[in-house]
Amino acid sequence: MGAYTLLELHHFRSYTEHTTTFEPGVNVIVGPNGSGKTNLLEALYVLSHGTSFRGIDRDMVSHGNDWFRLQAVYNGLERTLTCKLESPSVVDKQFTLDGVKRARLSHTQRVPVVLFEPEHLRLLRDAPSQRRDYLDTLLIKLQTDYSWLKHQFERVLLQRNNVLKRRLPPDVRDDQLFAWDISFADLAEQIASRRRELVTLIDTRMSAVYSKIAQAQHAVQVRYEQKIFGEDYRATLLAALQATVQHDSDRGFTTVGPHRDELVVLLDGVPALAAASRGEMRSLLLALKIIELELVAEQSETTPLLLLDDVFSELDTSRRRALASLAQDYQTLITTTDADAVVGHFLDGYHVIATHNITDLG
């Protein structure tokens, strides 16, 4: 198991100087709001991934300073990140991996990370674009060429939309769209195919993982819904592009393709968006994160790190313990403000890190 054992923070967010240690398996970070729990997760995420999930580099420098440094030991090797504000618009950023300096982390130098933060709870409730982004982000983790494929698709989509916005005479417009339509259909077929395969993988695991977290048997279905059907996706999409060209031209954007598809989750046969409670929504999202963790672990030579920020809210005791049990084969950091839950259920068998004295938190 890949694991961090030591982390030192210097002028990072709310920390002036701070050192903490971690254990393999589940680490529970407990403390009141504003005590720096999320900052610890962010520090490990930045050291692992190269960028933050909360903001730009300059935002991480503590107030009144012009630099920060993170130092950690991962699998017995040192990882360091130093950021210095050279000017209001320039940040000098340098990684050091076991003594070797790097301007950035390559794909092979990153530690795979799966993150849950409260903002992710909007995934199942917000616009379909959020769920498409979720699938694409996971595919980028699992397939080294998917980032390039997504970039190419978005570039072609932009060019097609630019033609539509020009309000050209129909014959001129159609001539200019022809080449873009061919490229769009080729790339769209690959995007949709890979997303469908990923959703099928998630669907085969979702009921079992969700049922473990919920501590009760449930049927969960995950579906990839698209408007383009037929054995020949590419040909069907090309025909749809031609059929909707005037409609699209009037609006100035492309209305058919994988950029309009949807990810739907059903809980016991009912759309989760319509019927699931807040606690059920949180459990569904956590099930997705556990499956993401499993898939990344299967594709990576390095065991992924699991970061769970404020995950215990709206979960009862049995679901908390079930989640910790599912995560115990990975190095996991869980933050919580609930000291009673830690004292009552996690002091035995899990490593507890208190940002304040636990006895002062009740």
Side-chain angles (χ1 to χ4, degrees):
M1 176 191 293
Y4 283 97
T5 54
L6 176 71
L7 173 65
E8 297 180 6
L9 305 94
H10 307 269
H11 302 304
F12 182 83
R13 295 286 189 183
S14 60
Y15 292 100
T16 301
E17 305 285 338
H18 183 76
T19 300
T20 189
T21 59
F22 306 104
E23 298 289 339
V26 177
N27 298 258
V28 182
I29 304 173
V30 60
N33 290 328
S35 62
K37 301 184 301 299
T38 302
N39 296 341
L40 294 178
L41 299 193
E42 182 183 23
L44 291 181
Y45 188 94
V46 173
L47 281 168
S48 301
H49 190 264
T51 58
S52 173
F53 60 88
R54 299 169 76 192
I56 59 177
D57 295 333
R58 65 178 55 255
D59 293 341
M60 294 181 278
V61 179
S62 62
H63 181 70
N65 290 280
D66 62 0
W67 65 276
F68 76 79
R69 184 169 65 252
L70 302 174
Q71 297 172 273
V73 176
Y74 177 78
N75 278 1
L77 303 178
E78 291 186 355
R79 297 175 73 91
T80 302
L81 168 61
T82 302
C83 276
K84 183 173 178 58
L85 306 182
E86 300 287 356
S87 73
S89 59
V90 177
V91 178
D92 180 30
K93 184 175 182 179
Q94 187 173 87
F95 292 90
T96 305
L97 305 181
D98 200 27
V100 180
K101 294 181 179 180
R102 309 280 183 180
R104 62 186 60 85
L105 297 181
S106 68
H107 178 75
T108 57
Q109 291 163 345
R110 293 175 181 171
V111 176
V113 182
V114 174
L115 169 73
F116 167 88
E117 56 157 334
E119 276 293 303
H120 291 167
L121 289 169
R122 301 170 58 182
L123 173 67
L124 297 178
R125 294 192 183 277
D126 278 8
S129 60
Q130 298 279 341
R131 293 178 284 282
R132 291 192 296 268
D133 286 345
Y134 164 74
L135 293 177
D136 289 339
T137 300
L138 181 49
L139 281 166
I140 288 171
K141 291 183 180 182
L142 299 175
Q143 301 175 7
T144 56
D145 66 334
Y146 191 81
S147 179
W148 175 88
L149 177 62
K150 182 173 182 287
H151 174 74
Q152 292 298 109
F153 173 78
E154 290 172 345
R155 183 184 68 84
V156 171
L157 175 61
L158 177 63
Q159 294 296 335
R160 188 178 195 275
N161 287 344
N162 285 339
V163 174
L164 293 170
K165 290 174 183 176
R166 291 181 192 145
R167 312 286 179 167
L168 300 168
D171 56 337
V172 177
R173 176 199 65 202
D174 294 349
D175 284 345
Q176 293 192 13
L177 283 176
F178 178 76
W180 294 121
D181 285 358
I182 297 298
S183 296
F184 181 84
D186 288 341
L187 294 165
E189 182 177 36
Q190 297 179 65
I191 292 283
S193 175
R194 297 199 196 190
R195 286 180 182 170
R196 286 195 304 269
E197 290 174 0
L198 175 60
V199 170
T200 297
L201 276 177
I202 295 172
D203 182 60
T204 59
R205 306 180 187 214
M206 192 66 176
S207 291
V209 174
Y210 178 84
S211 295
K212 287 180 181 178
I213 294 174
Q215 293 292 281
Q217 199 63 37
H218 292 274
V220 183
Q221 293 175 291
V222 184
R223 297 176 178 171
Y224 184 67
E225 294 189 349
Q226 56 190 50
K227 297 179 180 179
I228 303 301
F229 298 96
E231 293 184 7
D232 191 335
Y233 180 96
R234 179 179 178 277
T236 305
L237 178 56
L238 280 171
L241 291 171
Q242 294 171 12
T244 59
V245 65
Q246 188 57 54
H247 177 269
D248 290 356
S249 183
D250 292 341
R251 286 156 181 76
F253 59 87
T254 305
T255 58
V256 292
H259 62 296
R260 311 288 288 185
D261 292 345
E262 168 69 298
L263 178 70
V264 176
V265 178
L266 304 177
L267 177 58
D268 295 326
V270 180
L273 183 60
S277 67
R278 289 174 60 90
E280 288 170 336
M281 279 292 199
R282 186 175 289 259
S283 296
L284 286 168
L285 183 57
L286 290 172
L288 286 173
K289 289 296 178 180
I290 293 297
I291 293 169
E292 177 181 342
L293 187 70
E294 294 173 350
L295 294 175
V296 172
E298 291 167 8
Q299 293 292 322
S300 176
E301 296 180 358
T302 305
T303 306
L305 175 69
L306 179 60
L307 305 178
L308 303 174
D309 190 22
D310 192 24
V311 73
F312 286 158
S313 301
E314 298 163 8
L315 296 181
D316 58 27
T317 298
S318 64
R319 293 190 184 211
R320 292 174 180 182
R321 294 189 65 85
L323 175 62
S325 177
L326 285 167
Q328 65 186 354
D329 291 336
Y330 307 87
Q331 185 174 40
T332 302
L333 275 72
I334 303 174
T335 69
T336 182
T337 59
D338 191 347
D340 290 339
V342 173
V343 172
H345 303 288
F346 289 99
L347 285 180
D348 295 330
Y350 301 108
H351 181 54
V352 177
I353 301 165
T355 56
H356 283 57
N357 190 320
I358 287 181
T359 59
D360 294 338
L361 298 178

